[in-house]
Amino acid sequence: MKPLKNIPEHVAIILDGNGRWAKLRGLPRSVGHYQGGLNLVKVANAANEMGIKILSVYAFSTENWKRPQEEVDYLMTKPAEMLNENLEKFKTSTIKIQIKGRKDRIPKDLLNVFNKIEDLTKDHTGLILNICFDYGSYYEMLEAMKNTKEFTETAFNNELMIKEKVDLLIRTGGEYRLSNFMLWQAAYAELLFVKKYWPQFGKKDLYKAIKNYTKRNRRFGGVKA
Ligand code: IPE
Ligand code: IPE
Ligand code: MG
């Protein structure tokens, strides 16, 4: 894969389609989530190799608590297990992991491993991987409003969990919606909706998405030749 010029600095991905990926194979939805988790490691490494600065992924929304208890339980326990098993790998990689979302509703074990992983990788200088977990834009913006003393765009922006604007937003799984993800940060993002379910979205797909982005004409309300 040839290196690309003018790649996006901040890529966001809505990791959708784990359940349908599993259903298609006659497997329980949890297997889809497991494969989705493994895939995240692959795609984050690929993004790091490509020189992307920030990758923000939507892994669990503030609305996903509505799912069946069994599925919620899996999503609150399996990631902790997977992260714990791979602490050494995260330590030796150059990726800096940050968790973005509410921290007051997730189980203690998960919160502990999230804190551990953030601490382990805090000095890493490669890709910043924002894992958005129990994240939702409504919550993020309401909290920012509460904390904003001066009502300016910059002051409000500085109170957000994710302060960097999104350049490219990808949603896998074939749906055309944002589902409460990065409503502020993606105001001028280039959008890309792909059919593939998240567990199938690989390095080549990421490369294709970046290449597609490099051909877009971003105008930000102005005029460009
Ligand atoms: C995305 O996959 C992962 C989470 C929301 C946790 P889904 O679980 O939404 O998969 P589909 O959309 O039902 O296929
Ligand atoms: C969005 O996917 C949330 C995540 C990928 C974490 P959903 O599957 O929850 O979105 P809807 O319900 O189809 O809008
Ligand atoms: Mg979904």
Side-chain angles (χ1 to χ4, degrees), residues 15 18 21 31-45 74 78-79 82-83 85-86 89-90 198-199 201:
L15 315 177
N18 290 350
W21 178 90
V31 179
H33 294 314
Y34 179 71
Q35 287 302 324
L38 296 179
N39 197 45
L40 176 56
V41 177
K42 274 203 318 207
V43 172
N45 284 327
Y74 186 86
K78 196 66 186 177
M82 289 171 88
L83 290 171
E85 279 167 6
N86 289 289
K89 274 197 201 129
F90 293 119
W198 170 247
F201 185 91

Side-chain angles (χ1 to χ4, degrees), residues 14-22 29 33 58-61 64 67 71 75 171 173 175 197-198:
I14 301 174
L15 315 177
D16 198 23
N18 290 350
R20 282 165 287 162
W21 178 90
R29 292 178 60 84
H33 294 314
Y58 205 11
F60 190 89
S61 78
N64 286 145
R67 295 189 175 200
E71 182 166 348
L75 291 166
R171 181 174 185 139
E175 310 283 1
Y197 298 138
W198 170 247

Side-chain angles (χ1 to χ4, degrees), residues 97-110:
I97 301 179
Q98 304 183 139
I99 312 297
K100 304 289 179 181
R102 294 184 62 148
K103 300 271 165 77
D104 58 333
R105 306 194 289 188
I106 59 173
K108 218 172 117 244
D109 286 352
L110 186 57

Side-chain angles (χ1 to χ4, degrees), residues 46-59:
N48 193 20
E49 281 165 27
M50 277 179 212
I52 290 164
K53 284 202 176 129
I54 309 170
L55 177 67
S56 298
V57 298
Y58 205 11

